[in-house]
Amino acid sequence: MSDPALQLLGVGLLAFTRIALIFVQAPIFGSNHIPNPILVGCAVAVTASMFPHLPIPADMPVDLFPFFGALLTQACVGLVIGFVSFIIIAAAQFGGELLDIQMGLSSAASFDPASHGAINLLRKVLFYTSMNLYLIVGGHHQLLAAIYKSYEVIPLTYFSMSGDLAMQLLRLSSDLLVIGTQIAAPALAALFIAQCALGLLARVAPQMNIFMLSFPLNIAIGLILLRLSYPLIMRVLGLQFELSLESLLQCIEMMMPLGR
């Protein structure tokens, strides 16, 4: 790509690849509520807005196959950034899934356009709650700022999976389970106590149909505790969205070349 026009085209394709792979997973942008043509158009618009600030890499590939390799590196960078940005949304869904299983709502799954499949009720509720809170706190603006930061730190032809980055991704994956459990903890604790009480009642009054009584009781207790704990859930999610931005910037810096 010795021709300047071809070099500019290559820079645009590399930048678009990174942004497109980020948008595949990122909150809001990666939602299946957005049709694919609009998603591609958003990626093109963001690429066009950042293109004037992108330098031509000194090691820009001049042949076709090395250029495909550079495209693969940018796809990897985009997947890492998109994965980190989606962690908190996935944690909220995990918390809702725990509640659905414990309350017996798994059989009441309904179609969800965000996933093109049957999703349990409370998982869907917490998913949309976290998405709305993500918009309220300006998470989509922070994501765009992080994407611009990534172009300042990570060259358009570079990707490195260091040991520190791998450990950071593993830690964030484990945080997903911890945050999801924290979200569901109040209702889960109340349901556990209710199950213990029903077990004692079954031993004291074996003639009662405790099994049938447990279904409406679990749903009532779970929904009441979920409603009472909603302010706590919002605080946890809001704090985690702030920490998620810091984790995202740390992961971007961990992909920085050693000489920079």
Side-chain angles (χ1 to χ4, degrees):
M1 289 188 181
S2 57
D3 185 30
L6 289 178
Q7 288 185 341
L8 291 177
L9 177 61
V11 169
L13 289 175
L14 291 172
F16 172 78
T17 301
R18 182 184 298 187
I19 293 176
L21 269 294
I22 291 173
F23 281 6
V24 166
Q25 300 183 87
I28 305 300
F29 300 102
S31 172
N32 287 320
H33 292 89
I34 301 177
N36 290 331
I38 296 179
L39 181 62
V40 173
C42 291
V44 171
V46 174
T47 303
S49 65
M50 297 186 180
F51 181 78
H53 307 284
L54 302 179
I56 298 177
D59 56 346
M60 189 73 179
V62 295
D63 295 325
L64 186 60
F65 287 106
F67 181 74
F68 283 145
L71 288 176
L72 182 60
T73 63
Q74 297 313 293
C76 293
V77 172
L79 287 175
V80 170
I81 296 176
F83 171 76
V84 175
S85 64
F86 189 71
I87 285 289
I88 309 304
I89 305 293
Q93 289 180 292
F94 175 70
E97 191 73 23
L98 288 177
L99 291 175
D100 280 312
I101 294 173
Q102 192 65 28
M103 293 168 58
L105 293 176
S106 299
S107 59
S110 60
F111 179 78
D112 181 23
S115 59
H116 294 304
I119 299 297
N120 294 331
L121 297 178
L122 295 183
R123 176 181 175 181
K124 187 188 301 184
V125 168
L126 289 178
F127 169 74
Y128 287 114
T129 299
S130 59
M131 292 288 275
N132 286 325
L133 184 60
Y134 183 81
L135 291 173
I136 291 172
V137 301
H140 53 305
H141 295 153
Q142 297 172 354
L143 176 63
L144 294 176
I147 293 174
Y148 181 77
K149 176 70 174 179
S150 73
Y151 286 117
E152 295 180 340
V153 174
I154 308 170
L156 284 173
T157 56
Y158 182 83
F159 172 73
S160 175
M161 177 60 75
S162 62
D164 292 338
L165 177 60
M167 291 303 298
Q168 178 77 346
L169 294 178
L170 288 175
R171 185 186 65 81
L172 291 174
S173 300
S174 63
D175 288 346
L176 184 154
L177 304 178
V178 174
I179 297 168
T181 305
Q182 289 177 345
I183 290 172
L188 288 178
L191 289 171
F192 175 75
I193 295 173
Q195 291 297 322
C196 293
L198 289 174
L200 294 175
L201 184 60
R203 297 299 298 271
V204 174
Q207 67 275 14
M208 294 182 61
N209 193 345
I210 302 300
F211 181 74
M212 296 302 298
L213 178 63
S214 64
F215 284 106
L217 185 62
N218 286 340
I219 294 175
I221 293 176
L223 291 179
I224 292 173
L225 266 294
L226 179 63
R227 174 61 186 89
L228 294 177
S229 62
Y230 232 74
L232 175 62
I233 293 174
M234 300 295 283
R235 289 185 59 187
V236 170
L237 289 176
L239 176 61
Q240 293 301 325
F241 279 133
E242 295 179 4
L243 297 177
S244 176
L245 176 61
E246 298 178 4
S247 299
L248 180 57
L249 295 177
Q250 289 176 1
C251 290
I252 291 174
E253 293 175 355
M254 290 176 183
M255 289 186 282
M256 180 192 305
L258 296 178
R260 299 190 67 174

